[in-house]
Amino acid sequence: EADIYQTPRYLVIGTGKKITLECSQTMGHDKMYWYQQDPGMELHLIHYSYGVNSTEKGDLSSESTVSRIRTEHFPLTLESARPSHTSQYLCASSELDEQYFGPGTRLTVT
Amino acid sequence: KNQVEQSPQSLIILEGKNCTLQCNYTVSPFSNLRWYKQDTGRGPVSLTIMTFSENTKSNGRYTATLDADTKQSSLHITASQLSDSASYICVVADRGSTLGRLYFGRGTQLTVWP
């Protein structure tokens, strides 16, 4: 099992709230990713990072932002949550060709 | 357009039976193809990774095949167990970018009944 952690696992929050989804890995990987996944649909890349102080937007337009101040930590922030942000958010890190996923955060915005 | 298509969308089998899941892709230039298992409410876990030169790879009761000419892959599960109930996702990586862009299929939802 990969050493990549996400908190919280489940979050129900009201519209307009600011939230931060946490992701940490202890494998020392430089590359980290955030994906969004809706039920029965494919994963969509929303942010990625090559290393400390490197962040890029992915293929799916997202109103979230990320930061990479430390190698092991890659948090995702939503400044003002909306019902359209309801989804599962998966964090991953990679070394060479292998990508390791965290358990995900199930976000529901009411 | 780079795409990954999986079939069937869902499958129900009895415990102990074998099954085969299919994946067709149009990703180019091709780097590698991966199969992941995703349990409900969890992140995907890698089962196999195959490069262009590999046409079969096994991981326990899971055997993946790759035909790079026809751009098709299959995942064969032998002697299924209840714990095999999950979504199986085919993922293709391209080698046209520094990131090693991944293209995900929507998965096949497998249910194993006792």
Side-chain angles (χ1 to χ4, degrees), chain A residues 1 9-10 31 33 35 37 40-45 48-50 59 88 90 96-104, chain B residues 9 31-32 34 36 38 40-46 49 51 87 89 97-107:
Chain A
E1 189 118 347
R9 292 294 317 281
Y10 304 92
K31 292 181 181 177
Y33 314 80
Y35 292 91
Q37 183 183 31
M41 301 296 288
E42 62 267 46
L43 276 72
H44 290 285
L45 181 68
Y48 60 96
S49 167
Y50 286 118
D59 304 314
Q88 166 133 319
L90 289 162
L96 300 176
D97 285 335
E98 189 65 79
Q99 196 159 114
Y100 301 91
F101 287 86
Chain B
Q9 184 176 343
S31 176
N32 58 69
R34 310 131 183 249
Y36 285 87
Q38 185 176 23
T40 301
R42 307 290 298 179
V45 174
S46 179
I49 297 177
T51 60
S87 178
I89 303 172
S97 66
T98 306
L99 180 65
R101 173 79 168 83
L102 298 182
Y103 295 87
F104 291 81
R106 295 186 175 184

Side-chain angles (χ1 to χ4, degrees), chain B residues 71-92:
Chain B
K71 298 188 176 180
Q72 295 179 324
S73 176
S74 65
L75 180 69
H76 186 74
I77 304 174
T78 304
S80 61
Q81 300 176 356
L82 299 179
S83 59
D84 292 333
S85 294
S87 178
Y88 291 84
I89 303 172
C90 177
V91 184
V92 181

Side-chain angles (χ1 to χ4, degrees), chain A residues 4-5 9 12 14-15 19 21 28 34 39 43 47 50 62 67 73 81 97 103:
Chain A
I4 182 163
Y5 309 98
R9 292 294 317 281
V12 180
T15 297
I19 58 170
L21 308 185
W34 276 102
L43 276 72
H47 296 283
Y50 286 118
S62 173
S67 63
H73 197 213
D97 285 335

